[in-house]
Amino acid sequence: MRTLLIDHHAHFARTIQGALEDCGFAVDVARTLDEASSAFCCASYDILLLELVMPDGDSLPWLAQLRSNGHSVPALIMSSIDDLDKRIAIFNGGADDFLRKPVCTEELIARMRAILRRSTQITDPTLAFGNLQFDPIGRQVFVEGQPVKIARRELCILEHLLNRAGRTVPRAQLEDSLYAFDDEVSANALEVGIYRLRKNLSQSGATLRINTARGIGYILELTDAPSA
């Protein structure tokens, strides 16, 4: 899931970015609200993480403006301020959740996943297709109930394809969801990831295959036999 982290505290931002990336999130960091506006114009985000007080203003009016422009992307506010009236203003201003700093990364990630489940109206987060099940919370894959080890990047590709199983996922959409602006991405990075994922699925005996829609993208489909 692509995340925009809006925070001007460099060490905090690096810590949160690293923790999220380890869990499969693609993270862009904005250190001012102006940078956040520019990033938001260039990419689609699944969730926003905002520090309440930024160098160029309070993030609540910025979020309110975003909402008034019709953007419903979930937003979680983080701040060391814990005044009741301010918390009420945060929720009335369009935020979906609030987390007091200092932040526990495990709690932050759990809250993010809960927000994303609510925003997509998912009650059971487990994704299943054919004989494969994927637990997006625990980041685990099972084939016929047996755990399958898949590297982080390929796991992100699988999650994205599972969410759109049976439909063609454009290459640009996959890349946009997987890579942040600062990621060093080679020209064939996606192809390499798809190749490795296909190999994982084949070796595990998964009854799915990743087909290429030439010139468009990829589609996850069922097969009667393990993918080759």
Side-chain angles (χ1 to χ4, degrees):
M1 298 295 179
R2 189 156 186 178
T3 304
L4 180 58
L5 172 59
I6 306 167
D7 199 294
H8 61 99
H9 300 98
H11 176 72
F12 174 81
R14 283 195 302 269
T15 300
I16 296 300
Q17 183 178 21
L20 293 180
E21 288 176 346
D22 286 343
C23 289
F25 291 85
V27 185
D28 293 323
V29 178
R31 292 181 172 82
T32 65
L33 293 175
D34 188 54
E35 284 184 14
S37 296
S38 298
F40 201 83
C41 289
C42 297
S44 297
Y45 292 99
D46 298 291
I47 191 166
L48 306 178
L49 305 178
L50 303 93
E51 158 63 41
L52 182 60
V53 181
M54 296 293 291
D56 51 345
D58 191 312
S59 61
L60 281 184
W62 182 87
L63 180 60
Q65 183 62 48
L66 207 64
R67 295 288 187 248
S68 68
N69 290 337
H71 297 292
S72 58
V73 56
L76 186 153
I77 297 283
M78 300 177 292
S79 176
S80 57
I81 298 173
D82 195 28
D83 176 75
L84 177 59
D85 290 339
K86 195 64 177 180
R87 291 204 310 272
I88 292 172
I90 285 170
F91 287 107
N92 287 339
D96 296 89
D97 203 352
F98 168 81
L99 192 56
R100 186 180 182 184
K101 288 183 173 181
V103 170
C104 169
T105 55
E106 290 84 359
E107 182 181 4
L108 172 62
I109 292 167
R111 285 174 179 265
M112 290 172 65
R113 294 199 183 283
I115 290 171
L116 291 168
R117 287 198 302 273
R118 289 199 302 269
S119 68
T120 53
Q121 297 182 332
I122 295 174
T123 54
D124 181 2
T126 303
L127 299 173
F129 196 55
N131 64 349
L132 180 145
Q133 298 83 39
F134 172 58
D135 172 13
I137 307 300
R139 310 305 292 170
Q140 292 180 306
V141 175
F142 301 90
V143 172
E144 298 288 355
Q146 297 301 311
V148 178
K149 187 176 181 179
I150 298 179
R152 179 175 65 86
R153 187 66 73 187
E154 286 75 64
L155 198 60
C156 294
I157 295 173
L158 176 62
E159 181 176 19
H160 206 76
L161 291 174
L162 280 169
N163 276 311
R164 294 155 183 80
R167 293 177 287 169
T168 300
V169 181
R171 174 193 174 92
Q173 188 179 110
L174 260 178
E175 290 179 328
D176 185 59
S177 66
L178 293 172
Y179 306 116
F181 291 133
D182 294 335
D183 285 345
E184 293 183 7
V185 183
S186 62
N188 66 337
L190 183 58
E191 285 82 359
V192 171
I194 292 289
Y195 169 80
R196 290 174 177 167
L197 181 55
R198 281 173 171 156
K199 187 176 181 180
N200 278 131
L201 295 176
S202 176
Q203 291 177 341
S204 67
T207 56
L208 4 154
R209 61 173 179 263
I210 303 171
N211 287 330
T212 302
R214 200 166 299 279
I216 302 174
Y218 300 93
I219 180 171
L220 189 67
E221 297 181 310
L222 294 175
T223 179
D224 293 331
S227 54

